[in-house]
Amino acid sequence: MADLTLLTPELTLVGTGLVVLLIGLFLNTNAKKILGYLASLGVLASLVLVIMSLGREGMLFNDTLSFDALSQFFKIIFLSVALLVSIASIKYTEGNSHTEEFYSLMIFATAGMMFVASANDLMVLFVAFELASLATYALAGFEKKNPISLEASMKYFMIGSLSAALMLFGISFIYGATGTTSIPGVAANIDLLLGSPMGLLSVVLMIAGLGFKIALVPFHMWAPDTYQGSPSVVSSLLAAGSKKMGFVAAFKVFMIALIALQAEWTTAFAVLAVITMTLGNVVALSQTSVKRMLAYSSVAQAGYITMAFVVMSKTALAGAILYALSHGFMKAGAFIATGAVVYMVLSEKKDSETPDDIDNFRGLGRRMPVTALCMTIFLFALAGIPLTAGYMSKFVLFASTIEAGMVWLAVIAILNSAISLFYYARVVKYMYFLPSDGEKISEPKPYTFAMIIAAIFVLAIGFWSEPFLYWAMEAAKVLI
Amino acid sequence: MAIPILSLIVLIPLLFAVLTLLTKTKEQARVFALFSSVVVLALSMFTYFNFDSTTSQMQFQEFAQWVPSLGINYQLGIDGISMPLVLLNAIVIPLLILFTWNDDKKQPNRFYALILATQGAVIGVFLALDFFLFYVFWELTLVPLFFMVSIWGGPGKHKASIKFFIYTHVGSLVMLLGIFGLYFAAWKQTGTPNMGIEHLLSQFQFIASGVSRDLIFVALLFGFLVKIPAFPFHSWLPDAYVEAPTAGSVLFVLLKIGGYGLFRVILPILPFTPSMNLMIAIMAALGAVSILYGAFLALAQKDLKRMVAYSSVSHMGYVTLGAAGVVSLSVSGAMFQQFSHGLIMSIMFMACGVINNATGTRIINELGGLARKMPKLAVIMMLAFMASLGLPWLTGFIAEFLVLTFTYINQPTYVIIAILAIIITAAYHLWAMQRTMFGVYNEKFGALKDISASQTFSMAVIAILILYFGLNPSPVLDMMITNSEKLVSLMAVVGV
Amino acid sequence: MIPLFYYLALSAIIFSIGLFGFMTQRSGIRMLMCVELMLNAANINLVAFSSYNADLTGQVFALYSISLAAAEAAIGFAILMSIYRVRDMIDLDKINVLRW
Amino acid sequence: MEIPEILFNPWIRGILGLCLMGAIFMGAMLAVWFERKLSADIQQRHGPNRVGPHGIFQLVADAIKLFTKEDIIPANADKLLFVFAPIVLMGSVFLMLVAIPFGAVIINGNTYPIAATDMDISILYIEAVSAVSVIGIFMIAYSSNNKYSLLGAFRNFARMIGYEVPLGICIVSVAIMAGSLNIVDIAQAQSPLWFIIMQPLGFIVFFIALMADMGRLPFDQNESEEELIAGWITEYTGMRFGLGFFAEYIHLILGSMLVVLLFLGGWNLPAMLTSNMLLGIILPTAFFLGKVAIVILAIIMIRWAVPRFRIDQVVDLSWKRLLPLSLLNLGWVILLALLGV
Amino acid sequence: MSGIIDVSNIIYSYIPVAIILVVALLMPPVTMLLVKQLSPRSKSPVKYETYEAGSVPTGSARIQFNVEYYLYAIAFVLFDIEVLFLYPWATIFREPSITTIATIEMLIFIFVVLFGYLYLIKKEALKWQK
């Protein structure tokens, strides 16, 4: 009998989701605030359980789920993001009669991501991937009366389902050639795939399918629309959580299952990485919507992480994994901060069409000091200013590129990160150095709380990187 | 070491920068800033008096593990190269704060916080003995200066700040590439990661591939040359210096990290670069051209501050040239030029600021006869001008003399080019001096008030220091010579 | 026995039709239908491979993917319905408040 | 005793299937006549009594009439769909028939069903192809371009999806008890004890759901003659109408067979009665058909005894009553199975 | 019934299906062909009008669905697929080696489905008139 206790974090989380949904059915709208606390508590409990299980390894359910350093690391990312989002959403969902749906969908999405992290079988991977995706489609369109939110959700859904179809088609070929869907099994039988034209086909399909989720450049067009249109807390979950899920899936598919076909896919990833980071950064320069800017920045960041597929050294993977963690905190925090601003703008002007416009950030340093400070930290971290999480992970990732002798790639990445500083700094300038006519306002506490937690972690990873780096290295060992 | 004194010197300004940010009024902010800078001054003086200038070893070392798996440590230390520069910063910053004591700046808390942050970051660069830490502080200098220019700057502040940012950021990123290269080469060599500057520099010679040694060297050199700035990479400097507020310009002047990098990083690895002679020639040429080119441009300027900025380019050429002299005294001359230049230019920019505030213009042709209305300013400014053009008994003379004389041993051609520039330098200094301070008073300015007491005090202290170190350079020059001898001895190993 | 190639050809054709439709159609419902076609093409593949590999995994996978497709369709319809309620149409070309 | 090898040839079995199809045709005709007569009796009138004894050839006359009526395709109709729709409907109904056994011969412990084919998953197959008929009905309604038709089709659609789920769950309960999805195995499994006794609740739910599935009154919201003219089939005339009408009756017969097969013991008789080869074929089959006839009778009587539901009542009944009940039945069956029954 | 499937058997059992399918597909066209030969023909525009119980037809017949239908459709699609999972389970349920674990797993599954059902009821998604 397998050790089912390994599954407790997931079970706790799913249980919380069900309980939240159930309780929510019997509460009236005013009392639904408690659901937010309940959900946050459940996510926290699950997070604690994962942290407690660090170092334990095992397989479950006929080896379809594997619990190792990699999966635990990514679960920590997902749960941390979920925790931040669920705390911040306490304010966002206040007075909304659909609170229980929001929280349960969010929790199910997180559970899906966690199962992706643990998947050791393409079938489980796909199902969990879809679980997370489906929940996030609905979350993106959570504001049912808001055409922009619906549009975001629609685009996300269309592209997401296309990517699922591509992925499934690719998996079907992998299965057909190797006769198994188990990830190590595929790796063991890879000779069968190598000798057939299906090999290349499946690689292409998998890159496209996962590329949509990760928002690599030719497949990225949904991301800005979706991140801009969705509620900020949801964008935060999408950019910080869902995208990392794409990465962990890609790690599993390419680094473990299809490693023997690397000749086919490294070049593709190299090209994609370069295009992605360049386009993301360049387009982000001209955005006036902060959420859209963050979306493009997150496209660019995906490009950085993708470099790990090109370099494929242990350091690079550790860097990418650490980057995933840092980016989780930075992006989640930045979106939550934007969410706080949007919340503020909407509470002042009900019918504002563009509540996340950069003009609304004018003088934020005076109007919402905590939000502005945290946002500054996140933005600087995203830009890779030293002593933040973003710098540390960029450092490891870029350094590994040079270690592998791919100076050109490092040069491009570094130049890109130089460009990126501009659009981040612009927001900071608006917040601190441009005057505003608004008064100082009391900041929404749950948002602030979530932001502060994220900021603390962003700084902690930057200052005290050793343990995080160690975990990332451990996780990378699973892959290589 | 009981008290981590170097850490305190670095961290106090940074900490106070945050505290200052939180203050509400101008009074609080300036008191906080002054307090912090005075403490730093006291600590630096303490360090200085306990400093052993007869050895080139690192002193007051501090060490703590940071990210062991990457070989990154928290490592600080001070030697003859960094001591004068730390001292320069510690002395000028409190004076700068005094100088701006009565200014009506918007958002004073941020203003003073940025000054302190710059101070902490710059001193951090000087003291860091770990490349990671070094780079962290190096990048950190960028942020406050960027904001300084883009908030309190002149009409062209946005363009200037962005230009400054792009240039130096690209420069430092290229430098980062070099650091990475060095780091991994050394990692492969020794089998353990280590980011220590001394460690990496000592490993440089063991890198097998000559091409990658060259590449690493060029990448590092590029980063420093941009920051100095040397001739083809200098164009950010005039814009940034001119558009910055007075305090910002002074901070730029104190930003001696580029030149520092030459001595700390470039010279120790220079002998082991395969194309060493070419590199030396490049550095010397760039230095000489900077001197000449800066001087020519300064001559052509109508704006007083812009003229001073170009003269700064010209002066920094001596640093590059001196470093390329690879003789112990030329190198010390270059180091001393950094120190001296910091003092002289601080006064010059303060004076420009005062004049601009008083008259509302900096166009040389519109000014004139200021000495009559502002005698105190005129006296101090004249001293600075004289020092700047290299009058004997003042600091500028010693530096330029050492550089030119001793570089001549190895690089006669370039020195001759540089000497040509001396005449031009003298010409534009005297010309500007005469037009602004003497000549016919422009009546449209009406009755001008002379500089205030705090301004007089701070400018006067710096002027006295210029005089003092001009007469008696040994307090700083000795330790510089000790260190440059060590640097040059490395070259002797290879047989230069 | 029908050669495997026929199944693969069939699924490739269906997949291509779906992909083509997805690219060219602008009605939300039709795009959704095209995605379903693509998913089903993959299912054909899975089942065909499953029987040729003499292994049941593919069929089980197909079963899962069918149910996922259903869930996806459900969510898609829900979103389309909401859009219809707000904007009275589901033509994706005209839903373009967001753009760069 | 050996069975000739030739009987296992799939082509031969296909022909057997065609024969069964013919039989069902006849049955459907009979059923129409039966219904007319019975309804007339219930309403105390004569019903068809001119053509043949007791009007038994009335349907032949009707068929001749339908054949000679003009074929009208409305100008507004979608011509292609209009022509193809009945094919889909008929196809669905006929394909159901393939998997339904009329009886079985047991020789040497092996069961040989009297059916066109013997598949492992016949019950699943039947459910699947019967669902296609919804599409046929919807095509008919949509192609006619008539509001009444479309309304009827919508209602049909809402009703069908409502009853498909409880129907499926009841079938699952039966499958658990029989341990197979093969309808022959299921029928055989009821050898001593009919499933109606083990799961009466399941039977009730299944019966109601099946009636709804077949569109029999009180569930003929797709037709609702009084409100929607003839509902989905309003625009169909002559033989085109005849095909749709006929499909409904075939559906009725097949549905009744399903009830018998799944709950009422199928063709099973005590073994001694079927020891003789000939008897072993004829008796069970006759027994089976007799039970089917009774079920049909019941369904027809219900039609004339109960008024039609409103559409909201229909969906409420399925989603809020039958679905939980069917789940309850499933739980009951699981319990029984765990107890080893 | 579990285990590896013998494909050839499956194909044999579907040959009759194919035969009947062909017949079923052919029957309506053949019938209509017959009708064409037998039936009279007289054109008149009124005959080809849409029939709306005698009154003059108005407007397009392609009316929009009432939105309730979609809700039911969504619910149906989900529940029907859930039932799909019950079938394979039902067939192996009787195999003694896995009965307990299969029951537990399926009960969890049904519990989750029930949960969704409860949710639908509570949200009044299954109410015809809202």
Side-chain angles (χ1 to χ4, degrees):
Chain A
M1 188 69 191
D3 185 6
L4 272 172
T5 52
L6 281 169
L7 204 61
T8 41
E10 282 86 347
L11 292 179
T12 315
L13 195 64
V14 173
T16 313
L18 290 175
V19 166
V20 165
L21 191 56
L22 189 68
I23 295 180
L25 288 177
F26 299 98
L27 291 179
N28 64 16
T29 306
N30 290 332
K32 279 183 180 172
K33 210 175 171 185
I34 191 170
L35 298 175
Y37 296 104
L38 200 62
S40 312
L41 219 61
V43 175
L44 184 66
S46 181
L47 181 59
V48 169
L49 285 169
V50 173
I51 291 173
M52 274 163 54
S53 76
L54 274 177
R56 287 177 67 197
E57 299 202 347
M59 297 278 200
L60 276 187
F61 303 126
N62 295 326
D63 294 353
T64 54
L65 289 180
S66 77
F67 296 82
D68 48 39
L70 179 74
S71 72
Q72 280 152 349
F73 193 88
F74 272 94
K75 280 177 197 173
I76 290 175
I77 299 179
F78 300 144
L79 286 169
S80 319
V81 171
L83 184 63
L84 296 179
V85 171
S86 60
I87 292 174
S89 307
I90 291 174
K91 193 75 185 177
Y92 171 71
T93 54
E94 199 177 52
N96 191 322
S97 60
H98 296 287
T99 307
E100 70 271 21
E101 278 105 333
F102 183 89
Y103 277 107
S104 51
L105 282 173
M106 193 207 75
I107 285 175
F108 292 143
T110 314
M113 295 171 197
M114 288 170 74
F115 278 114
V116 170
S118 270
N120 197 35
D121 190 293
L122 292 174
M123 202 190 312
V124 176
L125 187 106
F126 182 74
V127 172
F129 204 88
E130 283 294 285
L131 170 57
S133 302
L134 292 174
T136 44
Y137 299 150
L139 279 178
F142 186 67
E143 289 172 6
K144 283 198 295 184
K145 297 276 172 353
N146 178 354
I148 294 179
S149 170
L150 286 175
E151 182 179 340
S153 154
M154 187 73 243
K155 285 180 173 161
Y156 181 37
F157 168 74
M158 282 300 168
I159 299 291
S161 50
L162 177 66
S163 87
L166 292 174
M167 225 168 90
L168 187 65
F169 208 56
I171 291 176
S172 79
F173 283 122
I174 294 176
Y175 165 70
T178 60
T180 174
T181 55
S182 151
I183 290 175
V186 170
N189 292 338
I190 198 75
D191 295 343
L192 298 168
L193 192 61
L194 274 175
S196 107
M198 289 189 279
L200 190 59
L201 190 61
S202 54
V203 166
V204 170
L205 287 166
M206 292 308 282
I207 289 183
L210 289 168
F212 275 120
K213 200 87 217 169
I214 304 172
L216 292 181
V217 150
F219 318 111
H220 73 291
M221 52 285 188
W222 61 274
D225 288 347
T226 304
Y227 291 179
Q228 185 190 355
S230 311
S232 304
V233 278
V234 177
S235 312
S236 158
L237 185 71
L238 288 180
S242 174
K243 179 173 272 199
K244 303 301 164 302
M245 174 186 76
F247 273 111
V248 71
F251 281 140
K252 282 173 184 281
V253 170
F254 291 105
M255 290 288 178
I256 300 180
L258 300 181
I259 187 78
L261 276 81
Q262 49 169 287
E264 264 91 4
W265 52 258
T266 35
T267 325
F269 272 120
V271 175
L272 290 179
V274 170
I275 303 178
T276 303
M277 61 178 94
T278 313
L279 189 128
N281 279 320
V282 171
V283 179
L285 283 174
S286 61
Q287 300 304 325
T288 52
S289 152
V290 172
K291 271 158 88 179
R292 205 167 178 78
M293 184 274 281
L294 287 175
Y296 275 109
S297 113
S298 123
V299 168
Q301 316 264 354
Y304 300 142
I305 303 184
T306 311
M307 294 200 315
F309 290 100
V310 186
V311 179
M312 288 207 298
S313 66
K314 213 183 90 185
T315 336
L317 286 173
I321 292 169
L322 186 65
Y323 206 123
L325 176 70
S326 322
H327 187 248
F329 282 113
M330 302 183 294
K331 253 304 147 41
F335 269 117
I336 289 172
T338 316
V341 175
V342 169
Y343 183 84
M344 170 202 87
V345 171
L346 285 182
S347 62
E348 283 176 351
K349 260 196 315 226
K350 266 260 165 350
D351 52 347
S352 175
E353 291 260 316
T354 52
D356 62 332
D357 195 90
I358 194 163
D359 272 336
N360 292 327
F361 282 71
R362 275 172 191 276
L364 205 67
R366 204 168 43 78
R367 303 188 65 193
M368 304 170 84
V370 181
T371 309
L373 181 68
C374 291
M375 185 76 177
T376 311
I377 293 174
F378 300 135
L379 291 174
F380 278 166
L382 283 167
I385 296 284
L387 294 185
T388 57
Y391 177 68
M392 199 58 220
S393 29
K394 263 187 194 165
F395 181 86
V396 180
L397 190 57
F398 292 2
S400 72
T401 320
I402 294 190
E403 185 190 14
M406 294 179 208
V407 182
W408 61 274
L409 191 58
V411 170
I412 294 172
I414 284 182
L415 287 181
N416 262 298
S417 88
I419 298 176
S420 71
L421 201 44
F422 288 105
Y423 53 84
Y424 295 126
R426 192 172 53 148
V427 179
V428 177
K429 194 177 84 184
Y430 267 77
M431 287 194 299
Y432 282 102
F433 303 116
L434 291 186
S436 89
D437 39 356
E439 286 306 300
K440 185 172 165 122
I441 46 175
S442 70
E443 298 169 69
K445 289 225 169 41
Y447 280 106
T448 325
F449 188 54
M451 274 185 281
I452 289 173
I453 296 177
I456 287 172
F457 273 94
V458 167
L459 293 178
I461 298 172
F463 272 106
W464 189 46
S465 332
E466 183 56 23
F468 300 100
L469 196 59
Y470 172 78
W471 289 339
M473 288 278 188
E474 289 294 305
K477 273 183 202 153
V478 176
L479 291 171
I480 282 200
Chain B
M1 170 100 20
I3 309 162
I5 189 158
L6 297 186
S7 295
L8 287 179
I9 293 179
V10 176
L11 295 180
I12 283 178
L14 293 177
L15 177 70
F16 271 84
V18 175
L19 291 180
T20 312
L21 202 60
L22 298 177
T23 55
K24 295 275 184 264
T25 63
K26 178 184 161 191
E27 282 70 26
Q28 286 172 351
R30 64 188 186 190
V31 168
F32 267 62
L34 188 64
F35 175 75
S36 154
S37 57
V38 167
V39 170
V40 171
L41 177 61
L43 289 170
S44 325
M45 294 312 277
F46 174 80
T47 317
Y48 176 73
F49 287 121
N50 288 299
F51 187 81
D52 178 6
S53 60
T54 57
T55 170
S56 63
Q57 292 303 310
M58 280 293 165
Q59 304 179 34
F60 300 95
Q61 283 218 39
E62 290 168 27
F63 184 91
Q65 281 207 333
W66 191 2
V67 189
S69 52
L70 292 178
I72 296 170
N73 301 308
Y74 178 79
Q75 205 176 349
L76 297 179
I78 194 165
D79 68 354
I81 305 175
S82 42
M83 186 71 234
L85 295 170
V86 172
L87 209 55
L88 173 71
N89 257 281
I91 293 170
V92 177
I93 295 287
L95 296 175
L96 177 65
I97 291 167
L98 275 181
F99 179 80
T100 58
W101 197 253
N102 290 319
D103 281 9
D104 275 330
K105 292 275 182 224
K106 55 182 179 183
Q107 299 169 321
N109 55 340
R110 296 199 176 122
F111 183 75
Y112 287 111
L114 290 183
I115 292 182
L116 293 183
T118 317
Q119 187 191 20
V122 172
I123 294 183
V125 173
F126 295 146
L127 295 184
L129 287 188
D130 184 281
F131 253 129
F132 187 86
L133 198 61
F134 177 83
Y135 187 76
V136 165
F137 284 124
W138 179 281
E139 283 288 79
L140 210 55
T141 58
L142 212 59
V143 181
L145 284 173
F146 172 74
F147 285 124
M148 188 67 114
V149 179
S150 66
I151 301 159
W152 292 279
K157 58 187 178 182
H158 290 297
K159 193 170 156 256
S161 61
I162 285 188
K163 197 170 176 185
F164 157 68
F165 204 100
I166 295 181
Y167 263 86
T168 57
H169 196 54
V170 167
S172 55
L173 288 174
V174 172
M175 182 185 86
L176 183 66
L177 283 175
I179 296 177
F180 280 154
L182 191 52
Y183 171 61
F184 283 110
W187 189 344
K188 280 214 184 81
Q189 206 70 46
T190 58
T192 47
N194 191 340
M195 265 283 181
I197 291 182
E198 288 181 317
H199 169 84
L200 287 184
L201 296 182
S202 66
Q203 288 296 323
F204 180 75
Q205 50 184 306
F206 301 118
I207 297 173
S209 154
V211 178
S212 51
R213 259 191 278 170
D214 269 347
L215 280 177
I216 292 169
F217 182 85
V218 169
L220 292 170
L221 182 62
F222 178 77
F224 298 131
L225 286 183
V226 170
K227 208 80 173 189
I228 287 177
F231 158 62
F233 319 115
H234 68 282
S235 81
W236 62 268
L237 181 138
D239 286 341
Y241 278 36
V242 171
E243 295 301 339
T246 305
S249 308
V250 175
L251 288 176
F252 272 119
V253 164
L254 297 180
L255 194 67
K256 290 277 166 273
I257 55 181
Y260 171 75
L262 281 188
F263 307 123
R264 171 67 70 226
V265 176
I266 292 297
L267 285 183
I269 60 173
L270 182 60
F272 308 106
T273 314
S275 38
M276 175 183 73
N277 290 324
L278 176 67
M279 296 301 167
I280 293 179
I282 289 175
M283 282 164 64
L286 292 183
V289 172
S290 299
I291 297 172
L292 192 64
Y293 183 77
F296 265 118
L297 284 179
L299 190 62
Q301 296 308 318
K302 293 190 175 65
D303 182 327
L304 183 63
K305 198 170 182 185
R306 190 164 275 271
M307 187 211 85
V308 175
Y310 276 109
S311 87
S312 178
V313 174
S314 173
H315 283 139
M316 290 312 282
Y318 284 99
V319 178
T320 323
L321 184 62
V326 290
V327 180
S328 106
L329 282 176
S330 79
V331 173
S332 349
M335 292 179 187
F336 195 73
Q337 171 70 350
Q338 290 228 73
F339 183 74
S340 132
H341 177 258
L343 293 174
I344 297 169
M345 283 298 146
S346 302
I347 297 191
M348 300 273 260
F349 280 115
M350 286 176 182
C352 288
V354 169
I355 293 174
N356 190 27
N357 277 351
T359 64
T361 181
R362 292 188 309 241
I363 306 298
I364 300 174
N365 283 340
E366 294 180 7
L367 300 166
L370 290 180
R372 245 172 280 168
K373 302 278 177 184
M374 307 170 94
K376 283 185 268 179
L377 174 71
V379 170
I380 295 169
M381 206 175 149
M382 237 170 79
L383 186 85
F385 267 66
M386 290 307 156
S388 179
L389 68 80
L391 197 71
W393 315 124
L394 296 174
T395 51
F397 171 74
I398 295 171
E400 289 174 19
F401 175 77
L402 285 173
V403 169
L404 293 177
T405 316
F406 292 95
T407 309
Y408 189 76
I409 300 169
N410 284 328
Q411 309 289 352
T413 331
Y414 300 116
V415 171
I416 288 167
I417 297 177
I419 287 174
L420 288 178
I422 290 183
I423 304 158
I424 305 167
T425 313
Y428 69 77
H429 274 117
L430 292 173
W431 176 74
M433 192 67 204
Q434 196 228 338
R435 291 287 196 81
T436 52
M437 290 296 139
F438 310 108
V440 186
Y441 181 66
N442 189 340
E443 290 302 336
K444 82 172 177 193
F445 299 134
L448 287 182
K449 271 208 312 195
D450 205 349
I451 46 178
S452 70
S454 67
Q455 287 172 336
T456 317
F457 175 74
S458 47
M459 288 169 81
V461 170
I462 300 176
I464 291 166
L465 285 175
I466 291 175
L467 205 57
Y468 172 73
F469 284 112
L471 293 168
N472 177 25
S474 61
V476 287
L477 196 56
D478 282 355
M479 57 180 83
M480 289 173 178
I481 292 172
T482 316
N483 272 278
S484 38
E485 269 166 359
K486 182 190 167 200
L487 290 175
V488 171
S489 70
L490 280 173
M491 309 213 190
V493 174
V494 209
V496 177
Chain C
M1 283 291 268
I2 304 168
L4 180 62
F5 172 76
Y6 288 7
Y7 290 108
L8 296 190
L10 173 69
S11 81
I13 290 168
I14 295 180
F15 188 83
S16 308
I17 293 173
L19 194 59
F20 176 77
F22 187 85
M23 301 290 182
T24 52
Q25 292 295 330
R26 280 297 161 253
S27 153
I29 301 260
R30 288 189 185 175
M31 287 171 84
L32 199 59
M33 286 161 78
C34 291
V35 168
E36 296 295 316
L37 267 188
M38 289 159 76
L39 285 171
N40 282 325
N43 287 343
I44 292 175
N45 260 355
L46 285 171
V47 174
F49 282 130
S50 159
S51 91
Y52 278 82
N53 287 342
D55 170 51
L56 274 180
T57 321
Q59 301 199 21
V60 177
F61 202 159
L63 210 62
Y64 277 114
S65 94
I66 288 170
S67 59
L68 284 175
E72 209 165 83
I75 295 218
F77 274 126
I79 297 172
L80 283 172
M81 253 165 65
S82 308
I83 289 193
Y84 183 78
R85 277 184 174 151
V86 175
R87 309 197 37 168
D88 263 350
M89 48 109 189
I90 49 170
D91 187 341
L92 291 195
D93 263 359
K94 300 201 179 88
I95 301 177
N96 49 8
V97 180
L98 300 167
R99 63 167 95 207
W100 52 317
Chain D
M1 189 173 56
E2 289 301 316
I3 302 267
E5 186 65 26
I6 191 148
L7 284 182
F8 292 106
N9 185 313
W11 301 99
I12 299 291
R13 299 196 81 149
I15 291 165
L16 172 67
L18 288 179
C19 297
L20 294 179
M21 194 164 131
I24 297 264
F25 257 67
M26 297 306 292
M29 287 188 165
L30 266 177
V32 175
W33 172 78
F34 196 45
E35 173 149 23
R36 288 189 177 179
K37 274 317 243 191
L38 199 65
S39 56
D41 282 352
I42 289 172
Q43 295 171 341
Q44 293 181 338
R45 50 186 177 83
H46 289 292
N49 57 0
R50 299 293 165 94
V51 194
H54 300 282
I56 195 152
F57 297 124
Q58 178 64 41
L59 207 83
V60 180
D62 281 353
I64 292 168
K65 179 192 74 176
L66 288 175
F67 265 108
T68 55
K69 276 195 140 185
E70 187 183 347
D71 175 33
I72 295 176
I73 301 176
N76 279 334
D78 185 325
K79 302 263 175 342
L80 198 67
L81 270 187
F82 197 85
V83 174
F84 273 105
I87 300 182
V88 175
L89 190 59
M90 291 304 267
S92 145
V93 173
F94 283 136
L95 286 184
M96 267 172 83
L97 171 146
V98 181
I100 290 188
F102 282 59
V105 193
I106 301 170
I107 297 161
N108 304 337
N110 292 330
T111 310
Y112 298 98
I114 306 170
T117 179
D118 178 19
M119 2 177 152
D120 290 340
I121 47 148
S122 41
I123 189 75
L124 199 59
Y125 167 83
I126 288 173
E127 232 204 322
V129 291
S130 86
V132 176
S133 71
V134 191
I135 300 176
I137 289 179
F138 199 82
M139 279 167 79
I140 287 178
Y142 186 81
S143 66
S144 341
N145 202 359
N146 180 309
K147 289 169 199 125
Y148 294 102
S149 299
L150 211 54
L151 265 176
F154 287 161
R155 291 186 181 180
N156 181 54
F157 167 69
R159 192 195 64 214
M160 291 289 281
I161 61 176
Y163 287 87
E164 203 72 33
V165 178
L167 200 69
I169 294 176
C170 286
I171 291 175
V172 169
S173 319
V174 170
I176 290 173
M177 274 204 160
S180 166
L181 286 176
N182 188 337
I183 205 161
V184 180
D185 291 350
I186 292 175
Q188 291 291 344
Q190 307 179 51
S191 179
L193 214 55
W194 295 359
F195 283 165
I196 187 176
I197 299 162
M198 318 260 273
Q199 31 179 322
L201 186 60
F203 171 74
I204 294 168
V205 174
F206 183 81
F207 192 69
I208 297 175
L210 195 76
M211 265 186 14
D213 209 38
M214 297 182 302
R216 295 295 303 183
L217 223 146
F219 297 104
D220 68 338
Q221 285 74 20
N222 54 346
E223 227 167 291
S224 311
E225 295 97 334
E226 294 83 357
E227 314 149 33
L228 298 180
I229 311 175
W232 57 288
I233 206 156
T234 303
E235 291 290 355
Y236 277 63
T237 56
M239 199 56 214
R240 277 187 211 280
F241 165 78
L243 288 173
F245 180 78
F246 217 63
E248 274 200 331
Y249 272 89
I250 296 175
H251 203 156
L252 166 67
I253 294 178
L254 296 179
S256 313
M257 284 178 158
L258 269 185
V259 175
V260 174
L261 285 169
L262 294 187
F263 284 96
L264 299 178
W267 52 78
N268 286 307
L269 282 174
M272 60 208 174
L273 287 181
T274 59
S275 54
N276 182 293
M277 170 70 186
L278 201 62
L279 275 182
I281 296 174
I282 294 171
L283 261 187
T285 308
F287 185 49
F288 170 69
L289 291 177
K291 280 192 274 191
V292 170
I294 293 170
V295 172
I296 293 176
L297 182 69
I299 291 175
I300 290 172
M301 281 168 67
I302 290 172
R303 170 175 180 178
W304 295 104
V306 185
R308 180 184 303 120
F309 288 130
R310 269 200 330 265
I311 185 68
D312 60 322
Q313 291 168 327
V314 170
V315 289
D316 263 18
L317 178 67
S318 72
W319 288 105
K320 295 198 180 151
R321 305 284 181 277
L322 294 191
L323 182 56
L325 283 178
S326 64
L327 281 174
L328 193 66
N329 179 54
L330 182 64
W332 164 247
V333 170
I334 292 174
L335 189 68
L336 282 183
L338 288 179
L339 293 175
V341 178
Chain E
M1 299 287 151
S2 62
I4 304 305
I5 295 157
D6 182 0
V7 180
S8 54
N9 253 348
I10 293 184
I11 290 183
Y12 282 140
S13 61
Y14 281 91
I15 286 176
V17 177
I19 294 173
I20 304 264
L21 183 63
V22 170
V23 173
L25 293 186
L26 283 179
M27 206 193 84
V30 169
T31 318
M32 290 321 294
L33 214 67
L34 223 67
V35 169
K36 211 164 196 173
Q37 304 305 316
L38 293 175
S39 63
R41 199 139 295 239
S42 70
K43 292 206 166 144
S44 120
V46 180
K47 208 190 288 183
Y48 296 101
E49 264 183 19
T50 307
Y51 179 70
E52 289 192 5
S55 49
V56 181
T58 52
S60 168
R62 303 274 151 83
I63 45 176
Q64 287 285 345
F65 272 56
N66 190 352
V67 96
E68 272 77 30
Y69 288 107
Y70 273 121
L71 272 181
Y72 284 102
I74 291 171
F76 163 72
V77 166
L78 293 180
F79 280 102
D80 207 37
I81 299 294
E82 316 295 10
V83 173
L84 185 69
F85 282 95
L86 294 172
Y87 283 105
W89 166 75
T91 53
I92 56 154
F93 184 76
R94 291 279 179 162
E95 283 175 31
S97 60
I98 50 170
T99 299
T100 324
I101 186 93
T103 311
I104 294 171
E105 283 177 353
M106 197 43 77
L107 283 179
I108 293 173
F109 178 72
I110 291 175
F111 170 73
V112 174
V113 175
L114 259 184
F115 201 88
Y117 177 69
L118 185 65
Y119 174 78
L120 281 177
I121 297 258
K122 199 68 194 169
K123 283 278 163 180
E124 304 198 328
L126 298 179
K127 207 170 159 189
W128 188 259
Q129 300 293 341
K130 290 188 183 72

